[in-house]
Amino acid sequence: MITRSVTIEEIDDLYLMWNDHINASALYRRALREEMDVRGVDPDEFRDLLERAREQGYSLEEIAETTNRFADLQSLVEDQDRKPPAGDTKSE
């Protein structure tokens, strides 16, 4: 798992200090899932596409460099799925 820095306001910080049982990472992930939902992105499908791209040999950095939205990731994975495996060309 990657750790990212998130800027929070002083009121957020104080509230979390008062309520140290709150998992701020879970709040962050929940907010991201809500954003995905607003944009019609299914987190399970997103996770599956990411795993498929990784299985196809792409690193997370390569995926981020070549895509910038969910539809791009879908196209990347589907384009690779359509390509024949190396050395598996038909000779006529």
Side-chain angles (χ1 to χ4, degrees), residues 34-89:
E34 289 172 5
E35 287 297 315
M36 287 180 197
D37 187 47
V38 166
R39 288 160 176 74
V41 174
D42 179 313
D44 295 325
E45 185 180 359
F46 193 11
R47 183 176 289 110
D48 179 57
L49 286 171
L50 178 59
E51 287 175 10
R52 287 172 55 197
R54 303 283 308 263
E55 288 170 358
Q56 291 172 354
Y58 291 101
S59 70
L60 187 59
E61 292 76 19
E62 290 171 325
I63 295 167
E65 288 173 5
T66 58
T67 64
N68 65 3
R69 59 192 177 130
F70 185 74
D72 293 343
L73 180 58
Q74 284 177 311
S75 293
L76 179 75
V77 170
E78 291 169 2
D79 288 347
Q80 280 297 114
D81 285 346
R82 284 189 217 119
K83 290 183 181 176
D88 197 25
T89 58

